[in-house]
Amino acid sequence: MTTSIGAANAATAAAAGLIGSKEAAKLQLPSFGGLRSTGNAVTSSNSLLLSKRIGVLHSVSASSIVRAVSTPVKPETQKETKRSKVEIIKEHSNFIRYPLNEELTTEAPNINESAVQLIKFHGSYQQYNREERGGRSYSFMLRTKNPCGKVSNRLYLVMDDLADEFGIGTLRLTTRQTFQLHGVLKKDLKTVMSTIINNMGSTLGACGDLNRNVLAPAAPYVRKDYLFAQETADNIAALLTPQSGFYYDMWVDGEKVLSAEPPEVVKARNDNSHGTNFPDSPEPIYGTQFLPRKFKIAVTVPTDNSVDLFTNDIGIAVVTDDDGEPKGFNIYVGGGMGRTHRLESTFPRLAEPLGYVPKEDILYAVKAIVVTQRENGRRDDRKYSRMKYLISSWGIEKFRSVVEQYYGKKFEQIHDLPEWEFKSYLGWHEQGDGALFCGLHVDNGRVKGSMKTTLREIIQKYNLDVRITPNQNIILCGIKRAWKRPITTALAQGGLLQPRYVDPLNLTSMACPAFPLCPLAITEAERGIPDILKRVRAVFEKVGLKYNESVVIRITGCPNGCARPYMAELGFVGDGPNSYQLWLGGNSNQTSLAKAFMDKVKLHDLEKVLEPLFFHWKRKRLSKESFGDFTIRLVSNTFHLLKLHFPLLFASN
């Protein structure tokens, strides 16, 4: 069965530059037939009818309460709905335990495919070095869960030790404010995991089909709005943390190491007044099947778009009254970066406004959105399982209507907010409590060598907590004024320079790890970006652009978009060996979606492509017009101009 993708989806895909208007009118996505209850998921004795139109379950009783459901199926009179392999693995896993628990005890250096899917929920991916020949050397990447990017002094020092003892000697700061620890052997997994847990860290839910790390501004400002945003992010992370104990059973023999949860979180999780929960289930929100795919949430304050708000499944912005007191939240839904090359029905998408809620309702509203995706997101084809495809197919009005059934209220109109800005928090800043913080640029988030040694020495000597930013950088928090000079000197000696001494191109760039360990990588990203940035700088100089006229550059080794290249002014997306698809038109404030510009740009042809682009930007731009805004303004005739003036540019494409 298929259903029209709808005007909203067609417009989004066409606006993204991935399809033309004629194709947009014809584009269709296979629909998903909904879910059914299993076990004790639904206690109502009434029979249930599946609505073909909106894909949610309605009771036949007069109350018409929306009920929580679990596994996908068609009505009995029809052929059973196809389910992805991962859905079947989840169903038979005893809440993400089996067969991972057995696979971890074998002598083999790797685990089987079912266990590979399950260990993601525990915060780990199985990898191997793709450049080695004559067999596979398996290892595991561990990713931590750090809401708001908060890392205690104790946890940082532990992660630093683990990287040396069990990893590859480096720490990776991620675009979702977490650590990645690469190179852990299977035999060491339990030791590493239990050490993280016993030092007040966690990897639970850092990967897998559930809510991932919740972003919030990393700046440790002592301000009502920032503190409220960070508290809200913490509460949302707690609300959506798995409850069935599989994580602690696997790594610390069932001994939970948890701090007390705020009562409002417990109340919101247990509330089932609108049919959101699985009664008596170990996973009241997730059930046996968890979510169709990963789910990403960010919380921020007005003007601060350090979190790439619109790339998330749910983006949340604090709204304050005239006295600066937080009173509620704007909610945006449907963002997401991943796509598939040469499959135009997949696309990056920006979140759009859903509505406003008072501050006391935010946990219930978030839960309602998550449940709507749980019940209606596709589980047959994982390429279309993110919530952005559900919203694109339904349209925002229908999506809002269904969410309101689970929320139990109507959303209010979105509130007007000031313009967004990207804020890096690099350099020295006042916290607001008499202390200072210092934001440090880390190229591609890779903490290694003398930088790693210096950071550890400073963090240990001054007993500092840290924050990880969504731009792969790190913030040292709570610094006394008397410490500023010696810390600045030590940082410089370790290669951690103040931002004025770093090339502006490097300050805003990002890259994913890609080769050699990522199994999805098509070409280089982290290892390739230093040379690419140097070559971009050389082209700048050749066409006469000034040193401070920077461009936001992001590079990923595949189209999944981990470094969010579709928001960059100049995005490189790996599409072959030493080859990239170029995207143009994002902006420095991360509020505009780039458009696909050119496929199969070979690395050796980089200057041939970039020089005419930057040349025209310098000559044809408006006053203070950024590269991204310039390319968007002239996108309709960019190809014509370049072909006319630089025919050799297209000779090999």
Side-chain angles (χ1 to χ4, degrees), residues 35-51:
L35 307 163
R36 65 175 173 86
S37 62
T38 58
N40 56 17
V42 178
T43 57
S44 172
S45 60
N46 294 321
S47 61
L48 298 172
L49 297 178
L50 184 67
S51 169

Side-chain angles (χ1 to χ4, degrees), residues 48 69 79 92 170 182 186 218-219 296 298 359 369 416 420 451 457 460 463 528 555 602 631:
L48 298 172
V69 291
K79 184 179 178 181
H92 296 289
T170 71
H182 291 91
K186 176 183 161 183
K296 298 181 177 181
K359 63 182 181 181
I369 297 166
D416 290 333
W420 294 101
M451 175 201 304
E457 290 173 351
Q460 188 168 28
N463 194 31
I555 302 179
K602 296 297 183 181
T631 55

Side-chain angles (χ1 to χ4, degrees), residues 18-19 339-347 383-384 522 559 566 573-577 579-581 583 596 599-600:
L18 298 171
I19 59 174
R339 49 177 285 275
T340 302
H341 282 314
R342 295 175 294 281
L343 191 61
E344 293 179 340
S345 55
T346 66
F347 43 83
K383 291 191 299 295
Y384 304 109
I522 302 171
Y566 310 112
V573 179
D575 64 359
S579 174
Y580 297 90
Q581 183 183 56
W583 287 66
D599 296 332
K600 298 293 182 181

